[in-house]
Amino acid sequence: MNPLDFSGVLSRSDLLLKGVWLTAQISLAAMAFALVIGVLAAVMTLAGSKLLRWPVMAYVEVIRNTPFIVQVFLIYFGLPALGLRLDPITAAILAMSIYGGAYTSEIIRAGIQSINKGQIEAGRALGMSPLTIFRYVVLKPALSSVFPSLVAQFILLLLSSSVVSAISVPELTGTGNDIQGLTLRNMEIYLVIAVIYVALVAVLKGGMTVLERVLFPFKFLRR
């Protein structure tokens, strides 16, 4: 058996860096959109109107009970049948946003439901507007309480970006597959990719820790 030889992989490090950069871009974009979708879906789920609640609940159930790769294929290969053709990167971001939004909505919904109703009543008694109450009395404390769960979901979303290589997106896994085809060094390239993903997750965790301290400093003052 041939010993491990990383020379062919490392000589193409520029391609890997481009794949890492694209992975970071599509993942961060999808996280931002998923958070927006999650907040809107959570609010609609908790709304009194069934016309708002049922479609969102159906969306969440469909996304959570179908494979992510099937969702990617539906968007990239299915939408052209309806007259909407997306490039691979746009399709990847859309699929990841919809996928992440369904899971994020459930996390945020749980956070909103954990808010004591007495706090809302206190905000009303102080003359705060409904929008101000929602932003500062409901949403911000809710996000603070579920922030670790959101980070875990964003990590899964980052790792799920590897699936979009199936529609020829040249992110990290897609680039790695191309390098494997050129070098025929299976073990080496996928070991390198695994290490890079571990590093990306570590960077994401570190960034989210800093963000948490900036957005919710009161959590750390109590410690």
Side-chain angles (χ1 to χ4, degrees), residues 39-132:
V39 171
L40 294 176
V43 171
M44 292 171 68
T45 301
L46 296 173
S49 173
K50 293 181 179 179
L51 292 176
L52 293 177
R53 186 168 67 250
W54 286 2
V56 174
M57 293 173 63
Y59 151 67
V60 171
E61 287 302 309
V62 168
I63 295 300
R64 293 173 64 185
N65 291 287
T66 54
F68 178 50
I69 193 168
V70 173
Q71 299 166 27
V72 173
F73 286 163
L74 278 173
I75 290 174
Y76 186 65
F77 296 113
L79 288 182
L82 302 177
L84 180 59
R85 186 176 300 276
L86 303 176
D87 64 85
I89 293 177
T90 302
I93 294 174
L94 178 59
M96 291 172 63
S97 300
I98 294 173
Y99 173 75
Y103 288 90
T104 301
S105 70
E106 290 296 280
I107 295 171
I108 296 174
R109 179 181 61 81
I112 292 176
Q113 288 179 319
S114 70
I115 300 300
N116 192 316
K117 292 184 178 180
Q119 294 177 275
I120 300 175
E121 294 300 325
R124 290 172 179 165
L126 291 172
M128 299 171 66
S129 68
L131 180 59
T132 301

Side-chain angles (χ1 to χ4, degrees), residues 133-155:
I133 291 175
F134 176 74
R135 287 179 60 187
Y136 297 106
V137 180
V138 177
L139 184 59
K140 190 169 184 178
L143 291 177
S144 173
S145 65
V146 301
F147 196 83
S149 298
L150 286 175
V151 173
Q153 183 56 49
F154 288 160
I155 289 172

Side-chain angles (χ1 to χ4, degrees), residues 4-27:
L4 293 178
D5 181 7
F6 290 90
S7 59
V9 174
L10 296 180
S11 65
R12 294 171 172 81
S13 58
D14 57 328
L15 297 178
L16 284 173
L17 288 175
K18 290 181 181 178
V20 169
W21 177 236
L22 183 56
T23 294
Q25 287 181 300
I26 63 176
S27 296

